[in-house]
Amino acid sequence: FCRASREDCKVMNEEDISLLRNECNYTNDLDAGDYKLNGIKRDCIFNRVPSFHVTQNSFVDVMHDICEGVGNLDMCLILEYLNDNKILNINCVNERIQNYSFSSIGKSNKPPIFLWKKVKNRDLGLSASEMHCLILNLPAILGDLVPIDCVIWKLFLMLYDIMCICSSKSLNLRTCEFL
């Protein structure tokens, strides 16, 4: 969607039209072959579809946008806040996750043990499926340990609501009004 750097994205609060991707700069960035600089590893296979180009036909992907994106960052910040405010620590979180009875579907996507170093580096190293499983099960895993008025838990519950909505098979008018 955009050619802004990670550093710029952290401080931008409105769209800069000059940074939007188009077919020309997409091709130039692809030809440059510098993934770390421009974020394009290889040409998208969908560009082979007649009358389609990723810069013109935007779509969102819950697994990339939430599970591997904002979900990872939010979970790191949430775990750090809970630890720093002595609500619970990483050992408690790990113990709870290891002892939680995941559904048969969730067992194969059970998150691994968290390392504090990964939390501090803002990268839990979870797959999209593991993050999805974590977000959808965390209220049952930790909810009884977190004070109901905890501001960071309220942030998590918003993330949980968003994940539930994005994962649902259908939406109704009430859901649209909620958003």
Side-chain angles (χ1 to χ4, degrees), residues 119-137:
V119 173
K120 293 300 274 182
N121 288 336
R122 305 287 189 258
D123 184 9
L124 293 177
L126 302 184
S127 70
S129 297
E130 290 167 338
M131 182 60 73
H132 186 258
C133 180
L134 177 66
I135 292 171
L136 293 181
N137 287 284

Side-chain angles (χ1 to χ4, degrees), residues 23 26-27 29-31 39-49 52-55:
E23 287 187 50
Y26 177 91
T27 301
D29 287 346
L30 185 62
D31 291 343
I40 300 177
K41 286 184 182 178
R42 61 189 156 280
D43 193 18
C44 178
I45 194 167
F46 292 128
N47 288 338
R48 296 180 190 167
V49 175
F52 182 93
H53 195 274
V54 293
T55 62

Side-chain angles (χ1 to χ4, degrees), residues 13-24:
N13 58 10
E14 54 185 63
E15 182 178 76
D16 181 345
I17 295 172
S18 70
L19 294 175
L20 293 179
R21 282 208 188 278
N22 57 48
E23 287 187 50
C24 183

Side-chain angles (χ1 to χ4, degrees), residues 66 69-81 122 124 131 135 152 155-156 158-160 162:
I66 296 179
V70 70
N72 177 71
L73 177 60
D74 282 359
M75 290 307 303
C76 290
L77 295 171
I78 290 164
L79 291 171
E80 187 173 3
Y81 179 93
R122 305 287 189 258
L124 293 177
M131 182 60 73
I135 292 171
I152 202 75
L155 169 69
F156 167 74
M158 283 191 270
L159 177 64
Y160 173 82
I162 291 167

